[in-house]
Amino acid sequence: MPGATPDNPLTQDFDRAYGLPPFDLVTPEHYRPAFEFALAAHKDEIAKIANQDAAPDFANTILALERAGHALSRVGSVFWNLAGADTNAKLQEIERELAPKLAAHFSAIYANEKLFLRVDSVHRNQDTFDLTDEDKRILELAHRHFVRAGAALTAEDKARHAQLIQRQATLATQFSQNVLADEAAFELPLHTEEDLAGLPDFVRDAAAATARERGSDAPYVITVSRSLIEPFLTYAERRDLRENAYEAWAARGANGGKTDNRAVISEILQLRTERARLLGFDTFADYKLDTTMAKTPERAQELLSDVWAPAVARAREEEEALEAAARREGANIKLAAWDWWYYTEKVRQEQFDLKESELKPYLPLEKMIEAAFYTAQRLFGLSFK
């Protein structure tokens, strides 16, 4: 890429098989300069689109916008992939720095008056261009995105809108990192066969691997990551351990201290409301639903109201069935949240003689990928090699 630095693999063309990034060569130190390079490149691309002398048309404005930011997308795809799947303290620090910077970057793009005038011109004069249905859809989405990002606001309101976006980005990052911190902090050690009662081999193996990864003194450890907590709640016979694990899972971000998200949520809601009103909507729900099938909060609420009564009735039936299953085992309990997965699995085994764990050998990863490709071929006529 033009302007790339040879010592930073994130700014080079990815020449691995299938264009995959060189994950083995990337270190946390590469991200900051790579993002600076990519942001600068994107700014230059946007400036060229906005400041060109040629009259605005679909190709030189809308398609040009679609193609701009390639370097930023490439760097971002690597960073956000790892930050979401295999994060660490260094990546989280970079993420906290990036959130407001990226928000400011894109706010500046949508606040660019010259750029919006070009987009708006193409949108207003679209009948004079030879556009396909796909072109028209891309144009509609681009124009709508600008308007919903505040492009039509006054200069003063644009500035305030940009502040709101940056602060929301910071808070959203803080929220997710607080949840991750609480997930990382909790572990439920399992020592004895009594602790492991009911757990199938795949859960035991995962818990043992987690214990090794964390350097735990216990031979098995349950965390509140979804891949562990859900099978644990499904199979663990120890009700007290299920309660312990479930309450830790439900309390992520609400444990007090520096990782508590309640004040974060409150501020996010206030910022959303102010942003929606700046854009001409009564509430954030009005803003959010405006581009959806429901269109309005009233219609969404109507749908929820229509399904609420039958859904509650069905949930009550399930609750009675699960409590009956508990009584048949000699547990005279009032069903709690940490019992639901466990007794649902019991009832499934009773009614259908089917254990979820027995399905696993029939669903290996390579067959699931093959099935996904087969479905795409049948639906869309695509083939994959």
Side-chain angles (χ1 to χ4, degrees), residues 307-325 327 334-337 340 347:
V307 301
W308 178 254
V312 170
R314 180 59 184 148
R316 295 300 182 204
E317 293 174 5
E318 291 183 9
E319 182 182 27
E320 291 174 4
L322 299 183
E323 287 185 343
R327 288 194 295 272
K334 177 66 178 173
L335 199 72
W340 203 275
V347 170

Side-chain angles (χ1 to χ4, degrees), residues 142-385:
H143 185 266
R144 188 173 75 186
H145 204 157
F146 269 82
V147 172
R148 287 173 62 82
L153 297 174
T154 65
E156 182 181 353
D157 286 346
K158 281 181 183 178
R160 178 55 182 162
H161 187 267
Q163 292 174 349
L164 295 173
I165 292 293
Q166 290 176 54
R167 180 59 180 161
Q168 280 184 243
T170 298
L171 291 171
T173 300
Q174 182 182 347
F175 181 97
S176 62
Q177 291 193 358
N178 285 347
V179 172
L180 285 174
D182 281 357
E183 287 184 353
F186 175 82
E187 60 180 52
L188 178 65
L190 306 177
H191 295 276
T192 66
E193 192 60 35
E194 181 186 2
D195 296 341
L196 298 167
L199 298 181
D201 288 343
F202 78 91
V203 181
R204 294 185 180 212
D205 291 345
T210 300
R212 291 193 296 271
E213 289 170 5
R214 293 195 167 209
S216 174
D217 294 334
Y220 303 91
V221 163
I222 298 298
T223 69
V224 290
S225 65
R226 188 173 294 275
S227 60
L228 261 181
I229 187 68
E230 288 194 357
F232 181 77
L233 292 172
T234 300
Y235 297 108
E237 293 180 4
R238 285 274 303 272
R239 191 182 189 222
D240 58 327
L241 297 182
R242 295 202 308 271
E243 179 181 2
N244 189 343
Y246 177 85
E247 289 191 335
W249 188 32
R252 291 168 300 164
N255 287 304
K258 64 180 182 180
T259 63
D260 195 289
N261 271 331
R262 284 169 285 195
V264 175
I265 293 170
S266 178
E267 187 177 352
I268 288 174
L269 292 176
Q270 293 173 33
L271 296 176
R272 284 180 170 183
T273 299
E274 184 180 352
R275 182 183 171 203
R277 289 176 179 167
L278 269 180
L279 296 170
F281 295 92
D282 291 334
T283 68
F284 185 77
D286 288 288
Y287 166 79
K288 195 68 176 177
L289 292 170
D290 184 55
T291 58
T292 67
M293 187 180 295
K295 291 294 183 186
T296 67
E298 291 75 22
R299 292 188 65 185
Q301 185 62 51
E302 182 181 349
L303 173 62
L304 291 174
S305 298
D306 287 344
V307 301
W308 178 254
V312 170
R314 180 59 184 148
R316 295 300 182 204
E317 293 174 5
E318 291 183 9
E319 182 182 27
E320 291 174 4
L322 299 183
E323 287 185 343
R327 288 194 295 272
R328 288 194 293 274
E329 287 193 338
N332 187 21
I333 61 172
K334 177 66 178 173
L335 199 72
W338 46 88
D339 300 316
W340 203 275
W341 283 268
Y342 181 74
Y343 286 108
T344 294
E345 180 65 14
K346 292 285 187 181
V347 170
R348 178 166 46 237
Q349 291 180 30
E350 288 178 4
Q351 293 183 350
F352 306 108
D353 191 24
L354 175 66
K355 295 180 180 179
E356 186 179 337
S357 58
E358 292 176 349
L359 295 175
K360 283 187 171 291
Y362 299 96
L363 300 171
L365 176 61
E366 62 272 12
K367 289 297 182 183
M368 298 308 298
I369 295 173
E370 183 181 331
F373 288 164
Y374 170 77
T375 302
Q377 189 275 324
R378 290 293 303 273
L379 288 175
F380 309 117
L382 301 176
S383 61
F384 299 87
K385 293 185 180 179

